[in-house]
Amino acid sequence: MSRISWGGVAAAMVIAAALAGPAAAQEKMSVRLDFAPWGVHAAMHLANQNGMFKAAGLEVDVQDGRGSGNTIQLVNAGQADVGQVQVGLLGAARAQGAALKTIATIMPKTDLCVLVDKASPMTKAADLKGKTVVVFAASPWAPLIDPYLKAGGLNRETAKIDFVDPAALWGTYIAKRADGLMSTASSAVPVAEASRPSKCLWASEAGLNFMSYGLVVKEDTIAKRGPALKKLIETQQRAWEQIRKDPELGVKAMLAARPDARLDPAVQKSQIVMSLDFFETPATKGKPIGWQAAADWEATLKTLEAAGVVKPGWKADDYFTNALMD
């Protein structure tokens, strides 16, 4: 090869490298989930598996969690950039000094429920009189137990509430050593189907409002990394739109991301489909996925105030922002 041709190749390589450089630079970000993979995580794993994050210039480390409360603590401590959690828990977190906000709420509709046998005649809180219900101490249900019982004319003497270790929660319920289990509908009902088909007694029907899953970050992270967070939200919106059309995409992504987790594809798909039912409230109708309505936050905060979780004088704007989405 001639000296001239070698020079041409070298120049082309320099130009190509210059053009590829910015595209190849990926901004690293850690996203901590609430638990091991289940339906509501589908879009996060899909965006990683199909290259959507990479195309947006992001390198996202998607981490399994040990509960929404634990994830919130880690994000507030700066040990994770973003948490995908039950955002209603920000009431208690901010009351304890956490400087966090929600940047997108994927499931703004309340999905807290008490699982009971599908064939049971129970339909409301009052029907739990004389029954035993299990829950774990760090559950989002914990501060709402007494208001829920009160709505049914009950208290902890007329309905027995058993706090059990999270690892024993399902075994206790499936073995029928409890009449009910306090959880979230979209995570729990599909799991129960195989061993103890169940239905929900809804917290919302007892007048309790509690916004469900979304993305939380530190307030200073919003200021420092706004463009990257905006890309994260945009990729999640696109991923969820794909999953809405074909839930199997989400199932395959989670199985590929966690091949050793022994995930049940049928359960995962059912969780995805059920989660989609909580993506919209009357106040968010027609808005992009993740957009948050002040009315929904106000309803949640009123419930938390009545439960003694937050003090009077709160401002809904302190808990969320829509500034990072179009």
Side-chain angles (χ1 to χ4, degrees):
M1 183 177 287
S2 71
R3 184 176 300 175
I4 293 176
S5 59
W6 267 115
V9 172
M13 290 175 66
V14 170
I15 294 172
L19 292 174
Q26 304 288 304
E27 182 166 354
K28 294 184 178 181
M29 180 178 292
S30 57
V31 177
R32 179 89 171 183
L33 307 177
D34 62 327
F35 284 111
W38 67 278
V40 77
H41 303 157
M44 200 64 70
H45 288 297
L46 178 61
N48 237 354
Q49 292 295 313
N50 71 1
M52 195 177 294
F53 281 143
K54 186 176 181 180
L58 300 176
E59 182 181 331
V60 181
D61 176 20
V62 179
Q63 306 169 356
D64 297 342
R66 293 185 296 171
S68 286
N70 178 259
T71 293
I72 286 173
Q73 291 175 1
L74 293 175
V75 173
N76 191 56
Q79 296 179 36
D81 298 315
V82 181
Q84 183 171 323
V85 299
Q86 288 182 294
V87 301
L89 291 172
L90 277 196
R94 287 187 64 92
Q96 295 169 11
L100 301 173
K101 276 193 173 182
T102 304
I103 58 172
T105 297
I106 308 302
M107 294 170 59
K109 186 178 178 181
T110 304
D111 72 337
L112 293 179
C113 85
V114 181
L115 274 71
V116 297
D117 285 322
K118 187 176 287 186
S120 166
M122 292 187 284
T123 60
K124 56 189 181 300
D127 296 332
L128 293 174
K129 185 176 182 179
K131 307 296 185 182
T132 298
V133 179
V134 289
V135 65
F136 65 96
S139 168
W141 261 107
L144 302 178
I145 293 171
D146 292 322
Y148 179 75
L149 294 177
K150 184 178 180 180
L154 305 175
N155 55 43
R156 298 199 194 196
E157 293 181 356
T158 51
K160 184 180 179 183
I161 305 297
D162 274 354
F163 288 90
V164 301
D165 185 273
L169 189 69
W170 276 103
T172 302
Y173 179 68
I174 290 172
K176 297 194 174 182
R177 294 195 297 272
D179 303 291
L181 182 153
M182 289 179 158
S183 187
T184 56
S186 50
S187 68
V189 172
V191 175
E193 188 61 30
S195 302
R196 189 177 179 180
S198 300
K199 63 182 180 181
C200 280
L201 309 185
W202 297 103
S204 57
E205 292 183 356
L208 303 182
N209 296 287
F210 192 88
M211 294 176 72
S212 194
Y213 284 90
L215 306 177
V216 301
V217 299
K218 293 181 70 174
E219 291 179 341
D220 61 0
T221 302
I222 297 174
K224 295 175 183 176
R225 305 189 65 184
L229 293 171
K230 182 177 174 67
K231 291 177 182 177
L232 178 74
I233 294 171
E234 289 172 346
T235 58
Q236 288 301 279
Q237 289 171 329
R238 292 199 300 272
W240 276 118
E241 289 295 355
Q242 292 180 18
I243 292 167
R244 267 181 165 168
K245 297 175 182 177
D246 184 3
E248 290 289 348
L249 291 175
V251 175
K252 292 176 182 178
M254 287 189 286
L255 293 175
R258 301 291 186 268
D260 299 325
R262 297 183 180 180
L263 303 177
D264 183 329
V267 169
Q268 299 293 314
K269 182 176 181 180
S270 184
Q271 288 176 333
I272 290 171
V273 173
M274 196 166 188
S275 293
L276 292 170
D277 291 338
F278 299 90
F279 271 43
E280 186 178 88
T281 69
T284 66
K285 190 172 183 179
K287 298 293 185 179
I289 292 172
W291 191 87
Q292 303 169 88
D296 292 334
W297 270 105
E298 289 166 359
T300 291
L301 290 163
K302 286 177 181 177
T303 291
L304 295 176
E305 180 183 339
V309 176
V310 299
K311 296 180 180 179
W314 47 263
K315 296 179 180 178
D317 288 347
D318 291 339
Y319 294 81
F320 78 101
T321 178
N322 288 318
L324 298 178
M325 63 179 69
D326 296 327

